[in-house]
Amino acid sequence: MNLHVLDAFIEFGFMRRSLIACLALSVSLTPLGVFLLLRRMSLIGDALSHAVLPGVAIGYLLSGMSLLAMGLGGFVAGLVVALLASWISRVTQLHEDSAFAGLYLGSLALGVTLVSLRSTGVDLLHLLFGSLLAVSHQSLVFIGVISTLTVTLIAIFYRAWVFESFNAIFLTLKIKRLPSLIQAMFMAIVVMNLVAGFQILGTLMTVGLMMLPAIAARCWSNRLPIMLGVAISLGFISSAVGLTWSWYQSIPAGPAIVLVATLLFLTSVFFGSHKGIFPVRKMSSHCSTSKE
């Protein structure tokens, strides 16, 4: 890599903090995206990213740009929407995704309305799309704690989440309430990570770093450990390239990172060795056969 590309990270502390924060988020967000993909809940992350906005807005109205207040408010709001959507799907004939759709649209509108009561356009853009300058030492510690906690819980409950993702009926037969408890805990962790990501990526862009590397990883393998490793690696690449691009082109960090992740996703769709349109492995095998 050209040394000039690294100048921003060498000279400016906030750029280094932003990079470390994004790498930490990649370690925790992308595995959660893989599990959401396995559960066929890819769009639930998007719904929850909108659902946290009212809580973030209320924390902002009460305490200004307080990380603790906005983070706590976002976590409570997202968790309430997740639990309410699950309850609605159980007591009605609606599917859970329909319940999420109805709730997150209202949450998004309410959040934007609340933020606009006291904010300038810059403040609103900061909450929706993130800001490089927002990553303080306090934010970095907060993201590090959330990422460490998430990785620890994934390691502890890995087998349970895999079973619940593929065969929740089996777990229901073994222990009646276990799948519901596992799902509630999983959704709480997803909300927690979305709240951690809004400081750097914004509430609307965090889900991009969560889902795009996960979906791209599915194009390269159907083995879960490999998918997790590929997803984290693609998250690292998206973060580093996106932050560099955002600095030198003066564009918001969140959209830049998500755009890079989108390019990696499209590349995987075309050339992924497992589900790609033009799989690399098949192309190389064809070339070898032709030479023979």
Side-chain angles (χ1 to χ4, degrees):
M1 182 180 289
N2 193 320
L3 290 178
H4 292 296
V5 176
L6 300 176
D7 285 348
F9 299 102
I10 295 173
E11 296 179 14
F12 301 103
F14 69 87
M15 285 294 291
R16 293 193 294 272
R17 289 193 297 271
S18 298
L19 179 60
I20 294 171
C22 287
L23 295 181
L25 284 172
S26 297
V27 172
S28 59
L29 279 174
T30 55
L32 293 177
V34 171
F35 279 105
L36 283 172
L37 182 65
L38 294 178
R39 294 161 179 256
R40 298 185 179 182
M41 299 172 67
S42 300
L43 293 178
I44 298 302
D46 183 52
L48 288 175
S49 70
H50 292 75
V52 304
L53 190 57
V56 171
I58 291 173
Y60 173 73
L61 290 174
L62 294 177
S63 303
M65 298 301 292
S66 168
L67 175 62
L68 178 61
M70 291 190 296
L72 182 61
F75 177 75
V76 172
L79 191 59
V80 167
V81 168
L83 295 177
L84 188 57
S86 297
W87 176 78
I88 290 174
S89 67
R90 285 198 305 269
V91 299
T92 67
Q93 299 298 317
L94 289 174
H95 291 291
E96 192 169 14
D97 58 344
S98 300
F100 266 108
L103 293 172
Y104 97 77
L105 291 170
S107 297
L108 177 62
L110 176 62
V112 172
T113 301
L114 290 174
V115 172
S116 66
L117 294 178
R118 184 183 162 180
S119 72
T120 64
V122 175
D123 293 329
L124 180 57
L125 287 176
H126 160 69
L127 291 177
L128 295 179
F129 302 110
S131 171
L132 279 171
L133 299 176
V135 186
S136 62
H137 178 72
Q138 181 187 12
S139 302
L140 189 58
V141 171
F142 177 71
I143 291 171
V145 170
I146 296 299
S147 180
T148 302
L149 178 61
T150 300
V151 172
T152 302
L153 291 174
I154 290 175
I156 294 173
F157 295 101
Y158 178 81
R159 292 178 65 86
W161 285 358
V162 171
F163 268 111
E164 200 271 335
S165 298
F166 287 104
N167 200 348
I169 296 177
F170 172 77
L171 285 180
T172 303
L173 294 175
K174 298 290 286 186
I175 305 176
K176 187 174 183 180
R177 295 183 180 273
L178 184 59
S180 297
L181 293 175
I182 292 174
Q183 184 177 12
M185 180 182 64
F186 176 76
M187 298 306 292
I189 295 171
V190 170
V191 172
M192 187 168 59
N193 277 267
L194 290 173
V195 170
F198 88 86
Q199 276 288 302
I200 176 67
L201 301 175
T203 58
L204 301 186
M205 293 291 108
T206 303
V207 70
L209 186 59
M210 175 184 285
M211 294 310 308
L212 286 169
I215 300 171
R218 186 69 179 90
C219 296
W220 294 99
S221 178
N222 62 350
R223 297 180 58 189
L224 184 55
I226 295 177
M227 287 174 59
L228 292 173
V230 172
I232 292 173
S233 300
L234 293 177
F236 283 176
I237 295 171
S238 301
S239 299
V241 176
L243 279 173
T244 305
W245 183 20
S246 71
W247 173 255
Y248 287 103
Q249 296 298 320
S250 300
I251 60 177
I257 291 171
V258 173
L259 283 173
V260 173
T262 302
L263 291 176
L264 294 175
F265 158 71
L266 292 174
T267 302
S268 301
V269 167
F270 279 98
F271 303 111
S273 59
H274 183 64
K275 287 185 176 293
I277 300 173
F278 308 107
V280 173
R281 185 179 301 170
K282 291 183 179 180
M283 291 173 63
S284 60
S285 300
H286 179 72
C287 291
S288 300
T289 304
S290 301
K291 289 180 180 179
E292 293 175 0

